[in-house]
Amino acid sequence: MQRTNISGAGIPNAGIADSGSRYPAVNWVWLTPLLLSIAWCLANISAVKWLFSLSIDIPALYKTIVGFSIVALIVRSSLNFSRKDDRNSHRPPAFSPNLVLRRYPLLLLLGAGICSIALQWIIDIGQLSVFFFILGTYGLCGLFAEPTFWRKNLPIAGLLACILPFSGQLNSGLGLPARVLTAKAVENLLSFWQIGAISSYDIIVLENGIAHIDVPCSGIKTLLVGTLFLLAATFLEKRQVGLKWLAVCTANFLMLVSANALRVLVLVVVADVWQQPNYAEILHVPLGIVGLVCACFLGWLMLQKVPRIQGSQKIELKAQQDAEIFTNQRWAKPGIVATVVVLAAISQLYPASSEPVAIAPLNFPAPIISESIPLNAGEQKFFGNYPDIQTEKKRFVSGNLRGSLLAVASTSWQTYHAPELCFAASGITVNRMETKQLTTAVTARWLSLQNSQLSATYWLQSSHQTTDNFLSRIGSDLTHKDRTWVLVSILFDSPVNSESQEVKDFTETIHATVKQSLTNS
């Protein structure tokens, strides 16, 4: 009597129950993709949540297009997968549940996962996390996809990775650092040409007025459109995504950034140096278009040096050779699952993205006399958008010094606003802004307001650091040394000499009081 192999080993249809079984057998071949998908989503849970929250703000038409694209991709993959049992078809299925450890998909998966986790620890920008999550997801698909199909559609994955996180919310995330860096670059260029200017936050204060680097001038839209153009050209011309393509992509990025900075420089010179705001308004859009078109054209010319994708048979042969290195090992499948599970476990150790503000109420010692006053309508509207911050506003009298002080405590660099913008919005003219060393510990911005009839100063302070530079505040998130920062803004009721001993003593007392509040929290 012939023995029956009850384990199902070596039987092609082992996942299908025999006719005498009451319950269907489990199809274990889908277990590895399922475990990998669950572990990958857990490793990027913050990006998944960010995508769901972003979906609320996406217009209905955009949702329809994205939904249709996803359905079409699923249908196309299903049709290709159904061909695997067709002996007359020599075309392999687009996707298969059999895991194959191919080099480039594996590098993309693990590289994106590690970068996403590292960025969460270094600086929490949801847009970048989603970007790497989408790329890593496509790398995960490459472990189950036919090599030619995967490589040809890699630029499409790049398109989705750019469109989804960067299509909206340009004023937050990368938008603010981009505007701050643009303002700093333009300040340096103006100083090189002997034009007096100083940048703060996303504005430039010149001798003739204030130039505001608004959202369209941040360069994020220019970078988005220029990158999408390069990815689309890569897909249509079937160029290989490799080291040469990455070099072209880097050069394209630098050209787009330079074109935007040059546009802002021209607008600032025309509007605020030459005092021709009408001409600057006319040039605003054309300069952006010309810079974008020139950068895209040069990027396309460099793309011609990138080789095209090889034939399908060569790609499949090379991918098979790469896969044979790992796939035949016993530890291959458990190893990749365990690696992603470890990434998921590490991701649960992220530091809290929004920690409570740690600062005690300000209690000024004598001879400063102070009383609390309410925020004005503009301040209430602005700070009302950030419920996790603490504000404290006081009227003070200290000898001959009189005025108001506003302290804004926060754990996020995205919640601050340049005081000179608040002054300008309130109808107070900003005539001049300088960096002053008020005391040995306090480097502050000193402002001359309302045709030199008023004076003001401000600085950013933590328990270990004091600075007047918003870039330093943003950079502090890289070290996580200080979580709570206070923006101290002081408006005097009269013109004040920043070099006077009375101002120095007053500044030293305010600085010590804020430091004590941070320490005693």
Side-chain angles (χ1 to χ4, degrees), residues 87-416:
R87 297 181 179 179
N88 296 325
S89 175
H90 299 287
R91 182 179 178 180
F95 289 95
S96 169
N98 297 318
L99 183 146
V100 181
L101 297 185
R102 300 184 179 94
R103 179 185 303 174
Y104 296 113
L106 188 61
L107 288 176
L108 184 59
L109 170 67
L110 298 181
I114 294 172
C115 288
S116 179
I117 292 177
L119 283 172
Q120 287 284 355
W121 280 94
I122 296 173
I123 185 168
D124 187 13
I125 298 179
Q127 293 163 313
L128 291 179
S129 298
V130 173
F131 174 79
F132 285 112
F133 169 66
I134 296 174
L135 287 183
T137 301
Y138 193 72
L140 176 62
C141 293
L143 302 180
F144 305 94
E146 183 266 325
T148 304
F149 177 87
W150 186 84
R151 293 195 66 176
K152 285 183 177 179
N153 291 280
L154 182 57
I156 300 298
L159 285 169
L160 288 175
C162 292
I163 289 175
L164 288 178
F166 300 115
S167 60
Q169 301 185 8
L170 295 178
N171 196 33
S172 61
L174 291 176
L176 174 58
R179 298 200 307 276
V180 174
L181 290 172
T182 301
K184 188 66 177 178
V186 173
E187 174 200 344
N188 293 334
L189 290 173
L190 290 172
S191 300
F192 178 77
W193 288 333
Q194 306 301 318
I195 299 175
I198 183 171
S199 66
S200 171
Y201 198 71
D202 56 354
I203 71 172
I204 303 173
V205 178
L206 302 99
E207 295 179 356
N208 297 324
I210 295 179
H212 185 197
I213 312 299
D214 55 5
V215 175
C217 289
S218 67
I220 297 297
K221 277 190 175 181
T222 302
L223 285 174
L224 175 62
V225 175
T227 304
L228 293 179
F229 172 81
L230 181 65
L231 289 169
T234 302
F235 175 75
L236 294 175
E237 296 188 2
K238 299 180 180 180
R239 302 289 177 178
Q240 290 185 17
V241 178
L243 294 178
K244 288 186 177 180
W245 185 88
L246 288 176
V248 172
C249 187
T250 303
N252 184 68
F253 176 86
L254 295 176
M255 288 188 296
L256 291 170
V257 171
S258 301
N260 183 72
L262 182 61
R263 174 178 66 146
V264 174
L265 175 64
V266 172
L267 293 177
V268 169
V269 170
V270 173
D272 297 280
V273 179
W274 295 345
Q275 293 293 296
Q276 298 294 331
N278 293 331
Y279 289 108
E281 187 68 25
I282 295 173
L283 292 173
H284 191 282
V285 175
L287 281 177
I289 295 176
V290 170
L292 175 63
V293 170
C294 291
C296 289
F297 178 71
L298 292 176
W300 177 79
L301 288 180
M302 291 187 291
L303 186 63
Q304 306 310 303
K305 302 296 183 179
V306 177
R308 297 180 184 273
I309 294 178
Q310 303 172 356
S312 301
Q313 293 182 352
K314 292 183 178 180
I315 293 179
E316 293 169 11
L317 180 61
K318 190 174 185 302
Q320 183 178 358
Q321 293 173 349
D322 293 340
E324 287 176 353
I325 300 175
F326 302 108
T327 306
N328 293 332
Q329 303 294 328
R330 291 184 177 180
W331 52 263
K333 292 183 180 180
I336 185 60
V337 174
T339 301
V340 179
V341 169
V342 169
L343 291 178
I346 296 176
S347 68
Q348 306 307 313
L349 303 176
Y350 288 156
S353 58
S354 58
E355 297 181 0
V357 177
I359 183 172
L362 300 177
N363 294 314
F364 299 125
I368 298 178
I369 302 173
S370 64
E371 63 176 351
S372 298
I373 58 176
L375 302 176
N376 60 38
E379 292 167 342
Q380 291 178 3
K381 181 179 180 181
F382 176 77
F383 295 124
N385 296 325
Y386 304 100
D388 296 330
I389 67 176
Q390 290 184 11
T391 58
E392 193 169 353
K393 191 173 185 181
K394 292 179 177 290
R395 285 287 304 174
F396 66 85
V397 177
S398 177
N400 296 321
L401 302 177
R402 287 172 170 80
S404 60
L405 179 145
L406 175 64
V408 181
S410 174
T411 58
S412 173
W413 52 266
Q414 303 187 42
T415 58
Y416 290 117

Side-chain angles (χ1 to χ4, degrees), residues 43-57:
N44 296 270
I45 190 65
S46 60
V48 174
K49 292 179 180 178
W50 203 92
L51 274 176
F52 276 115
S53 63
L54 180 65
S55 63
I56 301 175
D57 301 326

